[in-house]
Amino acid sequence: MPLRDSVNTPSSDLRRPQTWGRQLSSFLPFLVFIAAFILYSLTTAPGTLFGDPSEYQFIPAILGIAHPPGYAFYIVLAKVWQVLVPMGTVAFRTNLLSAAVGAWVVTGVFLVTREIDLGDGEDRLPLGEMTGPPGRAPADGWSYPSILASLLAALALAAAPNVWQHAIHANAHIVSAAFAVTHLWLLTRWWRTERDRWLGAFAVTLGLAVTHHPITMIGIPAYALFVVVVRPRIVLERQTLLLVVACIILGLLPLLYYPLRSPRVDFGPTDMNTWDGFVRHTTARGLRGNLFHFGLADQPDRALVFWSLLQLQFLLPVILLMPLGAVTLVRRTPKVGVLMIAFVLAQLAFTLNTVQDVMAYLLLPFAALAVLAGVGALTLGRWAWWTADAEGGLRIGDRRVPVMSLILALAVLPWPLVRAGQNIRAGISLRSFTEAEVWVDAVHRRFAGKGEGAVLLSAWEHLTPLWVHAYTEGRTLDEDDLELFYVSTATPWVEAVWAHIEERPVYLPDYRPSVRQAGFRLIPEDGLYRVERPPVMEASPSRPLDVWVDDQIHVVGYDLPQSEVRAGEPLILVIYQSAPDLVEGIWMPFAQLGTVEDRWTTDSRLLTTEWEPGEVVVEPYELLVPFDLPPGDYPLRLGYADLTGGRRELPLSTGGPTVTLDTVSVLPPDRRPSPAVLDGCLANFDNQVALMGAQVRGPRQSRLAFWEQPILARAGGALHLTLRWRALASPRDSATVFIHLIDASDRLVAGWDYTPLGGSAPTYLWFPKWLVDQTYVDPYRLPLPDHLPPGDYWLQVGMYGMTSHRRLPLVSPSGDLAGDRVILGPVRVDTQGES
């Protein structure tokens, strides 16, 4: 359709004052920024978090050096922000920096969409002489379709959960997204205006981005291709090339921070004034094994992972606008089409085949895809203007607006608002997330001033909040009270325990199976685990008890940290037990809360056959309260069962099968999953995650769970399994999915254990990542061994805690525990199976 085709509308009705477009052009981006900043600020974390977010808070404050690749630009930026914005604690104000940067990412998408619209075509009309189609943007102002399209792109990205989550806590990855959006904006502005000062500004920001994180360099091929396509002769323009190189070098200056600061840094490597130390840290040499983790056979699954993650960010109407926007760019502005499409494809090809910070890296292509959605909306908006009669429209100011364009706006713009509402209902906010602050207070309360001389062995996640308070608030622990020891691959858990346990008390922040398996006892104490060598002869429960189980096990007491629990959440019960003599069978406790009964599995427990005579064994148990248990007071009862002797219940010295421990108050749930979800799911894992569906594909067959007829497979081949998860509640831990092929003796013959979606979607990383009611499509390719004997096998699925390795229990529809795995169906392996 020719751009200057006439319309049956007097040009006088289409004119607007020249100042209107200019005012709107400068004012709307400001409003977008303010709105996004307010949204993110109101939902930002109030203080420290576990893991990397805390590092991003204290490292700039002390001018240290962060973990690889170092983040030189972020450190300088955050330090300046911390000095200039003295609001609250250093931790809180650094979280606000992410809110501000996230708001710029949203605004940048708004501006990129604007540049594409303003630069579309060569016949740009002055604002006061708008005689062309009203759906076309003038050279220095916007048409209504342009305004709506730019707003759609910005709002869609602002409401995307991944962007939102990264904009409400301290992190460097939102800055990577900001650089990517800035690059796209400056390049499209250079393309539209043909002024090299914008190319120079782009080159400076490109250099700065290199000093920040290598992920920003993935877009360089797309940038270079775009520059050459826009101006092919630029490779011969020495002056322009010198300008670009000089600007890039100017942007690289933050790299000097490393050699200047490293020799006297308080936290970080001290050898970055050497070439080897500099290259090792800035290139993240130790993390390269995470790159290009998947092969060609995995690409269909990776595409399905991307589709699943894309649907979590944008609603389907917005997603459908993206290919329309891409086609529009290729047809109308092919040079920009080259930039945007090459950028998206390069980012996705790298990120989806990497298992390092996948969701953080996806911030960059998601921003570009939001621009494509905006261009798609702009295409529909122009169509609405062209096909509608402006004389029959509504008057807005001095203009008539076609009714169809208003209908289109009402049909498209609400979708980002719907997604934002879904996020809020799902609990995306970190405003009340204080677990790390509670942890810091608990450690200080337990050890400060006690003179115990203990050592806390900890992984990175639990140390960083303590460092934030130590480095930014001076809230330190005296070494006579507690020493912090960083457990890493250089000094693993068991080795660290042996290095200290001979001389001082040793504590862990969480359950570590490797320490238990090495023969140590882990005693829960004040939210920590005290490490002891067996036998443990003394342990003091807060609530003593004197009950014998079949005259062999003595229950000496229990701890009940809380006597109130919300429906859908776990009630923690710590039991103190002892046996004077060896117990031949495996005896396990069970608990009843009213009519609800939890029979715990033996997974990750110290079994009775492993107890030493006379020692006190302390074990924590989680009693899962069903979502639909009515509020009220319920008796908490304890009993024992013999799992090897066939006796369901063992007699107690009290004269019955159970003993009443206490009364527990059950409160209404914060969120109750719909009955359709709980009744329709294949399995409910720990009241946290529901398995909604499972499909397996063999060479020429497929089955839906639960299948009874075996699916045929062949040794050396592969099974393709697609799981569909749904978050029932805010996850309490990072879960690992296991997919195991077992034989008739329950032995593992093939398996795959990994973070959901091939590492792309952890349930919990520093804080809960999965949002309530989100659905994840999770594909797996399970290779079968070449020499797997023919026969019948079974495919089982489950989840376990990433650090504890304790399996998530299954919850039956009645609220009782029902094991810790799901058998999906049989698999028949034949060496002469289908090819």
Side-chain angles (χ1 to χ4, degrees):
M1 182 184 300
L3 188 62
R4 287 185 175 273
D5 280 358
S6 61
V7 292
N8 298 322
T9 304
S11 61
S12 60
D13 279 345
L14 300 176
R15 294 194 188 104
R16 13 174 206 182
Q18 192 167 1
T19 58
W20 185 88
R22 292 191 180 124
Q23 291 174 351
L24 189 63
S25 177
S26 59
F27 195 58
L28 261 182
F30 177 76
L31 286 181
V32 169
F33 179 89
I34 292 298
F37 181 68
I38 291 175
L39 174 67
Y40 296 150
S41 298
L42 291 177
T43 54
T44 195
T48 63
L49 288 88
F50 293 112
D52 288 0
S54 287
E55 183 195 16
Y56 294 128
Q57 293 169 344
F58 78 82
I59 285 292
I62 64 172
L63 289 178
I65 297 177
H67 67 270
Y71 304 98
F73 175 82
Y74 174 84
I75 293 171
V76 176
L77 173 68
K79 179 62 177 181
V80 172
W81 176 274
Q82 290 171 350
V83 173
L84 297 180
V85 186
M87 297 178 58
T89 64
V90 169
F92 175 70
R93 73 183 70 159
T94 315
N95 293 338
L96 281 183
L97 171 62
S98 292
V101 175
W104 162 246
V105 173
V106 172
T107 307
V109 165
F110 184 91
L111 293 173
V112 173
T113 309
R114 168 207 179 188
E115 295 296 335
I116 293 174
D117 178 43
L118 294 181
D120 183 3
E122 300 299 328
D123 47 354
R124 303 164 194 153
L125 305 176
L127 186 61
E129 301 177 9
M130 189 173 178
T131 56
R136 178 72 183 85
D140 56 355
W142 299 334
S143 65
Y144 288 124
S146 177
I147 294 173
L148 297 177
S150 300
L151 281 175
L152 172 77
L155 294 178
L157 188 68
N162 193 32
V163 175
W164 196 333
Q165 287 181 325
H166 281 87
I168 58 178
H169 72 276
N171 70 98
H173 300 294
I174 193 69
V175 178
S176 299
F179 271 122
V181 170
T182 302
H183 294 158
L184 295 175
W185 174 53
L186 292 173
L187 283 175
T188 52
R189 193 163 182 82
W190 169 71
W191 157 76
R192 184 177 69 84
T193 64
E194 301 178 357
R195 296 174 180 172
D196 284 348
R197 65 185 184 188
W198 297 110
L199 184 62
F202 158 77
V204 172
T205 61
L206 182 61
L208 291 173
V210 171
T211 72
H212 175 68
H213 196 283
I215 188 64
T216 60
M217 301 171 64
I218 301 299
I220 289 179
Y223 303 154
L225 181 62
F226 175 70
V227 170
V228 172
V229 168
V230 170
R231 192 190 297 176
R233 293 184 56 83
I234 197 171
V235 296
L236 303 177
E237 299 175 6
R238 173 181 292 184
Q239 186 174 359
T240 305
L241 293 178
L242 288 176
L243 170 67
V244 171
V245 172
C247 289
I248 291 177
I249 293 175
L250 178 64
L252 292 175
L253 287 179
L255 288 177
L256 295 176
Y257 174 82
Y258 296 133
L260 293 176
R261 182 63 179 161
S262 181
R264 60 183 188 276
V265 73
D266 293 330
F267 192 101
T270 58
D271 62 345
M272 292 192 71
N273 57 337
T274 68
W275 180 248
D276 182 69
F278 181 89
V279 172
R280 182 190 68 252
H281 201 77
T282 56
T283 61
R285 188 180 299 169
L287 301 176
R288 295 179 190 173
N290 296 328
L291 306 181
F292 306 108
H293 183 79
F294 300 95
L296 288 177
D298 299 306
Q299 295 312 300
D301 285 347
R302 303 314 295 161
L304 185 57
V305 164
F306 169 66
W307 175 245
S308 177
L309 296 176
L310 184 66
Q311 288 180 294
L312 293 176
Q313 309 309 312
F314 309 101
L315 292 178
L316 186 59
V318 177
I319 295 175
L320 293 177
L321 292 173
M322 295 173 184
L324 178 60
V327 171
T328 298
L329 289 181
V330 171
R331 294 187 57 188
R332 296 182 62 91
T333 54
K335 297 173 183 177
V336 179
V338 167
L339 171 64
M340 300 301 298
I341 295 174
F343 178 86
V344 170
L345 292 180
Q347 293 287 348
L348 291 179
F350 173 80
T351 302
L352 292 176
N353 289 286
T354 298
V355 293
Q356 179 75 28
D357 296 325
V358 175
M359 293 305 295
Y361 295 168
L362 283 175
L363 290 170
L364 286 70
F366 283 157
L369 289 170
V371 173
L372 292 181
V375 175
L378 181 61
T379 303
L380 291 183
R382 288 175 177 171
W383 172 81
W385 278 94
W386 276 104
T387 58
D389 183 1
E391 290 292 341
L394 301 177
R395 180 172 291 277
I396 298 180
D398 62 344
R399 302 205 58 194
R400 290 188 180 277
V401 180
V403 173
M404 185 172 293
S405 69
L406 294 177
I407 295 175
L408 186 64
L410 294 175
V412 172
L413 273 184
W415 290 111
L417 303 180
V418 170
R419 174 62 81 199
Q422 291 176 341
N423 293 341
I424 292 173
R425 288 193 301 272
I428 195 172
S429 173
L430 292 179
R431 187 175 183 179
S432 59
F433 187 79
T434 58
E435 275 78 353
E437 294 287 349
V438 171
W439 154 254
V440 172
D441 291 340
V443 171
H444 280 265
R445 185 171 56 251
R446 170 63 183 81
F447 296 104
K450 302 295 178 61
E452 187 175 343
V455 60
L456 176 62
L457 309 180
S458 178
W460 177 258
E461 288 78 2
H462 285 87
L463 289 179
T464 52
L466 293 167
W467 288 334
V468 169
H469 284 264
Y471 284 115
T472 68
E473 299 178 9
R475 191 182 179 191
T476 60
L477 287 160
D478 194 291
E479 289 190 2
D480 292 337
D481 297 327
L482 182 69
E483 176 191 350
L484 303 178
F485 185 89
Y486 178 29
V487 178
S488 63
T489 54
T491 309
W493 289 97
V494 176
E495 184 178 326
V497 170
W498 278 117
H500 295 91
I501 200 166
E502 298 286 348
E503 301 175 355
R504 56 205 308 190
V506 175
Y507 291 84
L508 309 178
D510 49 18
Y511 180 89
R512 292 289 167 170
S514 60
V515 177
R516 170 64 68 82
Q517 292 164 6
F520 294 99
R521 304 297 190 245
L522 302 182
I523 312 299
E525 182 181 302
D526 297 325
L528 303 167
Y529 282 89
R530 189 177 80 249
V531 182
E532 296 282 357
R533 285 174 295 181
V536 177
M537 306 307 294
E538 294 184 3
S540 302
S542 61
R543 306 188 185 195
L545 198 65
D546 184 15
V547 174
W548 284 87
V549 181
D550 201 19
D551 296 326
Q552 295 189 57
I553 291 180
H554 186 202
V555 184
V556 299
Y558 66 97
D559 294 336
L560 189 65
Q562 292 181 318
S563 57
E564 287 186 347
V565 62
R566 289 195 176 276
E569 297 181 357
L571 178 70
I572 307 299
L573 175 65
V574 182
I575 305 176
Y576 294 69
Q577 315 154 82
S578 180
D581 302 307
L582 292 176
V583 180
E584 295 182 357
I586 298 178
W587 293 8
M588 282 290 295
F590 64 87
Q592 298 172 347
L593 186 65
T595 58
V596 177
E597 182 175 273
D598 278 7
R599 291 185 175 260
W600 295 297
T601 66
T602 58
D603 179 51
S604 301
R605 309 287 184 190
L606 185 65
L607 303 182
T608 49
T609 53
E610 302 171 307
W611 294 6
E612 294 193 14
E615 76 166 321
V616 179
V617 176
V618 186
E619 287 276 4
Y621 299 87
E622 288 188 351
L623 192 153
L624 297 177
V625 182
F627 285 104
D628 57 358
L629 186 64
D633 294 335
Y634 295 88
L636 175 63
R637 295 183 290 267
L638 177 69
Y640 277 76
D642 183 356
L643 302 187
T644 54
R647 289 186 291 174
R648 178 176 174 81
E649 297 173 347
L650 294 166
L652 304 183
S653 59
T654 54
T658 62
V659 58
T660 300
L661 301 181
D662 213 319
T663 299
V664 175
S665 297
V666 175
L667 306 177
D670 283 334
R671 297 180 182 88
R672 187 195 305 271
S674 69
V677 171
L678 293 177
D679 294 339
C681 67
L682 299 181
N684 172 359
F685 287 94
D686 201 31
N687 281 342
Q688 296 187 69
V689 179
L691 179 62
M692 302 303 298
Q695 181 180 20
V696 67
R697 290 181 291 109
R700 295 181 183 177
Q701 298 174 309
S702 67
R703 297 279 191 276
L704 293 175
F706 299 105
W707 62 88
E708 297 181 359
Q709 291 296 322
I711 185 169
L712 300 181
R714 56 187 175 85
L719 290 173
H720 295 265
L721 181 66
T722 302
L723 307 174
R724 189 161 58 90
W725 307 103
R726 185 184 181 97
L728 299 176
S730 183
R732 300 187 296 273
D733 193 6
S734 184
T736 297
V737 176
F738 67 85
I739 298 169
H740 293 167
L741 190 68
I742 57 175
D743 62 14
S745 300
D746 207 16
R747 291 176 300 188
L748 175 68
V749 298
W752 180 271
D753 294 38
Y754 221 75
T755 306
L757 280 70
S760 299
T763 59
Y764 188 109
L765 181 62
W766 324 137
F767 57 89
K769 287 289 188 177
W770 285 20
L771 299 178
V772 178
D773 292 334
Q774 281 187 334
T775 299
Y776 291 79
V777 179
D778 192 7
Y780 293 90
R781 178 177 173 270
L782 180 62
L784 303 181
D786 293 334
H787 303 293
L788 186 63
D792 287 342
Y793 299 86
W794 287 264
L795 196 60
Q796 69 175 14
V797 171
M799 285 183 163
Y800 59 83
M802 180 176 291
T803 57
S804 69
H805 292 183
R806 182 167 289 165
R807 290 186 178 183
L808 273 60
L810 296 178
V811 184
S812 71
S814 63
D816 300 332
L817 294 188
D820 54 21
R821 62 178 179 172
V822 179
I823 305 296
L824 298 178
V827 175
R828 181 162 296 162
V829 175
D830 189 345
T831 53
Q832 299 179 353
E834 298 177 347
S835 60

